[in-house]
Amino acid sequence: MKTVAAHAGVSAQTVSRVLRGTGYVSEATRARVLASVAAVGYRPNAVGRSLRATRTPMVGLLITDITNPFYATLHKSTEAVFRERGLTLMLLNSDDDPATERTQLDLVSSYRPSGLLVAPAVHSTLTTEDLAGFGAAVLVSRTLPGLAVPSVVTNEPEAMGEATRALLDAGHRRIVAVLGPRDASTTLRRESGYRDAVRAAGAEPIVRYTDQTGPGARAAIRRALQADPGLTAAVGFNAPVTEGILRGLRDEGLECPRDVSVVGFTDAPWMSFYPPPITVVGQPVAAMGELAARLLLDVLDGKPVTPGLHVVPSVLLRRESVAPPRPRPHDEKRTPCTS
């Protein structure tokens, strides 16, 4: 800053006022200072600032599975909001493990961030007191009972119910829900919508839990079909699970939707051109991320923010992966595919 001041022929205090946007500085002086900033290549020292401030200009984003495309979109949308405020985003991954989650939170807290966005791990042990240590905290996608913090979610029970009814309306009654981890809040909310829909139609709920990955879903749908060859439809928990379902159908020599209709949850680029294009719940991931970021900024600004659920509605995108069930003899010889 002293170098900029000497180059511009002003005091260091004047440079500070220009960079901070506080106090009066004439337009001519402001222009001269900014030209000197560019000329000498000055950049604010975030570490130096943090030594004088309570928090660094950084926000932590702790997610559960860095390979899930959901979190890539979430990261991009939150980062765009924070960038407008001069805040950087530090991405951390818990691998859905509570111990790793604790380790990652210890790491990010050592940087004294301005706030934290977190998708909690299954069986997370986080408390309101833990999150209070970050000054401002918002949960995204998943929730935890008893935490007095804002949580941004979509209308999962209603959206999963609509997805299930799309299959029921096509005539399906043997519908398997291939879900995520049994105790995750996202699983519980989506499962409730599925169960309500099939029971209202007089059908039997059929549920398989997975680790919410493609390989896990691939194995689960194969086991489900081998145990119950009468299954004619499946609804998937997320994009990786939906992909796993389709791979599992191929393994069993079955086609979608000729043999098994499929509806997914959370859209992905490949779903719109996969043969056939997949009917899916279009989860508003970018809107969820933007809302979570703005809620966190509101907390930082001292604005009132209501704890609890902040819901962004989803939309069912109807494509070509749902068809009426076709009679399939249970003893029909199927030729599994290999890959």
Side-chain angles (χ1 to χ4, degrees), residues 114 135-138 150 293-306:
S114 295
V138 175
R294 298 202 181 281
L295 287 174
L296 190 140
L297 292 178
D298 285 345
V299 175
L300 291 176
D301 292 339
K303 298 178 181 178
V305 175
T306 305

Side-chain angles (χ1 to χ4, degrees), residues 10-314:
V10 299
S11 68
Q13 289 81 2
T14 298
V15 174
S16 177
R17 286 198 294 272
V18 170
L19 297 179
R20 293 177 181 272
T22 60
Y24 173 76
V25 180
S26 70
E27 287 304 315
T29 300
R30 183 183 305 278
R32 192 162 72 251
V33 168
L34 293 178
S36 294
V37 165
V40 303
Y42 172 79
R43 295 291 184 274
N45 189 321
V47 174
R49 284 181 171 181
S50 70
L51 296 176
R52 298 186 298 272
T54 304
R55 300 285 182 181
T56 57
M58 182 263 286
V59 173
L61 172 60
L62 178 58
I63 62 174
T64 63
D65 181 6
I66 200 167
T67 66
N68 189 334
F70 173 95
Y71 291 112
T73 303
L74 185 73
H75 181 278
K76 183 175 181 179
S77 61
T78 55
E79 186 176 46
V81 175
F82 291 134
R83 190 185 301 121
E84 295 174 357
R85 287 284 294 267
L87 298 171
T88 58
L89 198 60
M90 181 178 184
L91 179 65
L92 305 105
N93 180 50
S94 73
D95 278 333
D96 231 348
D97 175 66
T100 303
E101 180 178 74
R102 283 283 177 184
T103 300
Q104 297 287 50
L105 287 178
D106 287 344
L107 171 63
V108 71
S109 67
S110 70
Y111 287 86
R112 297 189 293 178
S114 295
L116 177 72
L117 299 178
V118 55
V122 178
H123 304 129
S124 173
T125 59
L126 292 180
T127 65
T128 300
E129 291 72 24
D130 291 328
L131 297 180
F134 290 90
V138 175
L139 302 187
V140 186
S141 182
R142 289 183 181 174
T143 63
L144 289 175
L147 292 193
V149 295
S151 302
V152 177
V153 298
T154 190
N155 57 335
E156 292 164 300
E158 296 81 5
M160 185 61 96
E162 186 179 5
T164 306
R165 283 191 294 275
L167 295 167
L168 292 165
D169 291 345
H172 296 276
R173 289 300 180 268
R174 302 294 294 167
I175 304 168
V176 60
V178 184
L179 301 174
R182 183 187 297 267
D183 296 322
S185 66
T186 43
T187 300
L188 296 173
R189 287 167 54 80
R190 295 174 200 184
E191 182 177 353
S192 70
Y194 160 79
R195 287 184 179 274
D196 288 347
V198 294
R199 284 170 176 160
E204 175 191 357
I206 307 167
V207 172
R208 295 280 174 155
Y209 302 103
T210 73
D211 60 357
Q212 69 179 344
T213 67
R218 185 177 187 175
I221 190 66
R222 294 191 68 181
R223 288 193 297 268
L225 288 164
Q226 290 163 7
D228 185 353
L231 294 176
T232 62
V235 57
F237 175 75
N238 61 13
V241 165
T242 303
E243 180 182 349
I245 290 172
L246 294 169
R247 288 182 181 275
L249 294 182
R250 182 184 175 192
D251 292 341
E252 294 297 305
L254 300 174
E255 294 182 11
C256 170
R258 188 195 67 181
D259 301 304
V260 178
S261 291
V262 175
V263 177
F265 200 105
T266 306
D267 200 12
W270 62 267
M271 291 187 185
S272 63
F273 60 82
Y274 183 88
I278 305 300
T279 294
V280 63
V281 173
Q283 194 174 8
V285 185
M288 292 169 65
E290 181 177 347
L291 175 59
R294 298 202 181 281
L295 287 174
L296 190 140
L297 292 178
D298 285 345
V299 175
L300 291 176
D301 292 339
K303 298 178 181 178
V305 175
T306 305
L309 299 184
H310 295 253
V311 181
V312 185
S314 293

